[in-house]
Amino acid sequence: MAVDSQIGNYSPDDFTVVLSKGDFVHRVTGFADGSFLSMDRLVPSSTPYAGVGFNSSGRVKRRVSSMTIDVTLHQYSPSNTVLQQLQIADANTAGNEYVFAVTLKDLSGQTVVSSNSAIIAAPPTAEFSSETSTRTWQLYLFGSDLFIGGNMLLAPDEVAAVEALGGVVEDKWRLNP
């Protein structure tokens, strides 16, 4: 008898990045082949300390949730033009008129990142050659909500573990026994 197994599912085509501010809404398109998005929290949520001697340890807990997100697009992407114009508009004003909201979501999984206060740090490095080049746009999120989830249904014991930690598992991510 065959053993039942789960198969996870991830589709890079089902990853979405949406920027918005008032009437401005843009869904980023034209992700580069390969790695096209990376996220890095600027301040660790917990920094360990080890002193000299027994029981001389501790940690510093921080609630700073600011992060940088690198979005890599191929040079043909129309989003390069939109992102460049957003960056120029922000650079040419003295205030925060062009601080925008951003939502990143893996539509084939459970990962979601969002922030109501994001900026483009600087224009990307542009390279031109005899092959297709990429443009990596660095977004800075002043505070973010981040949930890194998987792309597979959760078995009852995994659902119980998540719930024991105060989490909620949507029905669509529960493995039916």
Side-chain angles (χ1 to χ4, degrees), residues 69-89:
I69 295 179
D70 291 340
V71 179
T72 304
L73 307 176
H74 55 69
Q75 73 185 69
Y76 315 110
S77 170
S79 290
N80 286 312
T81 304
V82 174
L83 292 170
Q84 180 62 76
Q85 190 58 49
L86 179 58
Q87 191 277 325
I88 289 170

Side-chain angles (χ1 to χ4, degrees), residues 96-160:
N96 292 326
E97 292 87 3
Y98 292 96
V99 172
F100 55 91
V102 62
T103 300
L104 300 88
K105 185 165 177 47
D106 176 2
L107 299 174
S108 63
Q110 300 175 64
T111 298
V112 179
V113 182
S114 65
S115 174
N116 288 325
S117 300
I119 60 169
I120 297 172
T125 300
E127 174 185 279
F128 298 90
S129 72
S130 60
E131 298 179 6
T132 298
S133 296
T134 60
R135 311 287 186 254
T136 300
W137 294 89
Q138 187 172 76
L139 307 180
Y140 181 88
L141 282 58
F142 294 90
S144 63
D145 290 320
L146 168 65
F147 186 83
I148 304 288
N151 291 63
M152 184 177 282
L153 299 178
L154 300 177
D157 62 326
E158 295 160 334
V159 170

